[in-house]
């Protein structure tokens, strides 16, 4: 996505269905299941979690954004989100669940399937949307390529491709996400990853009709979207009711367990003085909370980078990693 040692705080959820995308309307409408994106607010007459108090709408200058539909108190949970696609880092393959990225310790109850480790029978079953395809291929050359080049995002493309072949996702599943601008040199560098991915699947006897979608155009298009919408997952661990304590624990953990792409949280715009934040506690399920009170109609924004960096460093990182110059109040003040 950008420099490998920085992380963008975003999240994901599964089974999102787009009911309408009205280019002439201010509002983008979504339908989702409470199992994939929820808040914790309930009432005696309605035990199911209520929909999150947000809507996606067009902003004046930053494209789509997420807005509060009512007042949200400081520290409130806005919603949780599950990934569209995730993958452990190569260094974490033997220490985290291959599906949800939960850490597996010597005391953990472990479920094995071929070369993959899972934290539960549920994760083992859920992994079939990609692993039944993935396990048929030899990924050693592909993994060596990623490892030697220090690449993370081809692993996400590999898993996404396996989910498409299995029928779990369509080839255009993440096309609604904003793509990065890729130079001809960047596209050229991606060709090796594309060829290695397609070759591994062909050698695994994937049928030609199953690989119709897997061409250079699809590969670079997906990589362009993953580049600015994928985030490294840094687990805080434990139970944290206080958001700031959870954030501090996540930073102190230092080691990322993997990367993931999320849908709805990808519509959150950046601010160097954000009013919302994303945290991962013990797996790739993300929690979005407010950092301060937010009024109805106010845009919810997160910080894509380390907010403690100086003004010039922030501007450079945002320009190089995300392709924009930040004009938030903090940056305009020179702070």
């Amino acid at each position: 996505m950008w420099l490998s040692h920085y992380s963008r705080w975003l999240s994901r959820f599964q089974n999102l269905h787009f009911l309408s995308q009205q280019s002439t309307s201010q509002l983008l409408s979504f339908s989702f299941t409470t199992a994939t994106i929820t808040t914790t607010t309930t009432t005696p007459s309605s035990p199911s979690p209520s929909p999150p108090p947000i809507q996606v709408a067009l902003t004046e200058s930053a494209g789509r954004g997420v807005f509060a539909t009512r007042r949200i108190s400081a520290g409130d949970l806005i919603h949780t989100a599950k990934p569209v696609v995730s993958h452990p880092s190569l260094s974490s393959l033997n220490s985290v669940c291959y599906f949800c990225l939960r850490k597996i310790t010597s005391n953990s109850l472990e479920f094995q399937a071929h070369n993959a480790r899972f934290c539960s029978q549920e994760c083992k079953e859920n992994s079939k949307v990609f692993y039944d395809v993935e396990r048929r291929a030899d990924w050693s050359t592909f993994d060596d390529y990623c490892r030697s080049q220090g690449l993370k995002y081809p692993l996400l493309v590999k898993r996404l491709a396996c989910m498409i072949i299995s029928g779990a996702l369509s080839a255009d599943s993440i096309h609604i996400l904003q793509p990065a601008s890729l130079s001809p040199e960047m596209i050229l560098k991606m060709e090796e990853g594309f060829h290695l991915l397609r070759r591994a699947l062909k050698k695994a006897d994937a049928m030609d009709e199953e690989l119709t979608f897997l061409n250079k155009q699809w590969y670079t298009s997906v990589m362009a979207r993953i580049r600015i919408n994928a985030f490294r997952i840094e687990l805080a661990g434990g139970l944290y009711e206080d958001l700031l304590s959870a954030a501090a624990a996540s930073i102190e953990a230092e080691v990322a367990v993997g990367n993931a792409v999320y849908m709805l949280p990808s519509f959150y715009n950046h601010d160097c003085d954000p009013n919302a934040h994303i945290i991962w506690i013990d797996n790739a399920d993300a929690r979005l909370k407010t950092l301060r009170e937010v009024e109805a109609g106010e845009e919810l924004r997160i910080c894509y980078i380390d907010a403690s960096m100086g003004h010039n460093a922030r501007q450079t990182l945002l320009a190089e990693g995300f392709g924009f110059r930040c004009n938030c109040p903090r940056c305009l003040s020179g702070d």
Side-chain angles (χ1 to χ4, degrees):
M1 180 171 57
W2 65 98
L3 302 180
S4 61
H5 56 288
Y6 291 112
S7 64
R8 175 184 172 189
W9 300 89
L10 227 65
S11 63
R12 99 177 193 197
F13 67 98
Q14 294 174 316
N15 303 327
L16 177 69
H17 303 287
F18 295 100
L19 294 184
S20 64
Q21 183 186 3
Q22 302 170 329
S23 59
T24 59
S25 170
Q26 287 294 307
L27 178 64
L28 298 175
S29 299
F30 295 93
S31 171
F32 45 81
T33 63
T34 55
T36 59
I37 173 169
T38 65
T39 62
T40 55
T41 304
T42 59
T43 63
S45 60
S46 178
S48 299
S50 60
I54 55 175
Q55 68 179 21
V56 178
L58 297 178
T59 66
E60 293 183 358
S61 60
R64 294 168 296 201
V66 180
F67 294 81
T69 56
R70 61 166 172 80
R71 176 180 292 182
I72 310 175
S73 299
D76 277 3
L77 176 68
I78 307 168
H79 64 81
T80 61
K82 292 180 179 293
V84 176
V85 60
S86 64
H87 198 288
S89 61
L90 292 176
S91 61
S92 299
L93 286 177
N94 295 320
S95 59
V96 302
C97 176
Y98 202 53
F99 181 77
C100 77
L101 310 189
R102 185 188 302 271
K103 289 185 178 180
I104 297 176
T105 67
S106 57
N107 297 323
S108 300
L109 187 61
E110 181 186 336
F111 297 81
Q112 192 88 15
H114 301 277
N115 296 322
R117 305 175 72 189
F118 300 95
C119 68
S120 66
Q121 183 63 31
E122 181 182 7
C123 283
K124 182 179 177 181
E125 289 298 315
N126 287 339
S127 73
K128 290 182 178 180
V129 296
F130 60 83
Y131 197 56
D132 282 353
V133 174
E134 188 178 313
R135 67 184 177 84
R136 302 201 306 258
D138 178 2
W139 297 105
S140 57
T141 303
F142 185 85
D143 287 351
D144 287 344
Y145 158 74
C146 292
R147 189 178 290 108
S148 64
Q149 300 295 318
L151 301 175
K152 303 166 290 184
Y153 306 131
L155 298 170
L156 291 170
V157 181
K158 176 197 75 173
R159 181 158 292 182
L160 184 65
C162 291
M163 295 173 76
I164 293 169
I165 293 171
S166 75
L169 291 176
S170 64
D172 62 354
S173 295
I174 67 170
H175 281 17
I176 195 172
L177 300 181
Q178 180 73 23
S181 296
L182 301 178
S183 66
E185 292 77 17
M186 295 169 70
I187 294 174
L188 186 62
K189 288 182 179 179
M190 291 178 182
E191 286 194 10
E192 184 177 1
F194 161 71
H195 288 300
L196 289 173
L197 173 61
R198 188 173 177 86
R199 190 176 304 136
L201 290 170
K202 284 288 289 182
K203 287 183 177 180
D205 296 325
M207 295 183 290
D208 288 339
E209 54 266 32
E210 292 179 315
L211 299 178
T212 302
F213 72 94
L214 187 49
N215 52 45
K216 289 181 183 179
Q217 182 179 0
W218 179 86
Y219 186 89
T220 55
S221 174
V222 169
M223 281 289 288
R225 285 163 172 81
I226 288 178
R227 182 176 173 84
I228 59 172
N229 289 288
F231 296 85
R232 36 185 281 165
I233 309 301
E234 297 172 338
L235 304 180
L239 297 176
Y240 293 89
E241 295 300 325
D242 176 67
L243 175 63
L244 295 179
S245 296
S250 177
I251 292 172
E252 289 173 1
E254 293 183 349
V255 179
V257 297
N259 298 273
V261 175
Y262 302 87
M263 190 61 70
L264 176 60
S266 293
F267 297 136
Y268 281 69
N269 286 316
H270 166 82
D271 197 297
C272 293
D273 185 20
N275 56 12
H277 191 75
I278 297 180
I279 189 71
W280 295 272
I281 301 299
D282 55 9
N283 61 20
D285 293 351
R287 297 166 61 88
L288 286 95
K289 284 190 172 185
T290 51
L291 288 169
R292 55 176 178 268
E293 187 173 279
V294 176
E295 297 296 332
E298 184 178 349
E299 184 179 3
L300 290 156
R301 292 191 169 221
I302 60 175
C303 187
Y304 294 176
I305 59 175
D306 181 357
S308 67
M309 299 170 67
H311 175 271
N312 291 340
R314 296 198 313 273
Q315 290 288 357
T316 298
L317 186 56
L318 289 168
E320 293 179 353
F322 297 94
F324 70 87
R325 180 176 180 80
C326 184
N327 292 312
C328 71
R330 181 183 173 192
C331 284
L332 291 176
S333 73
D335 181 11

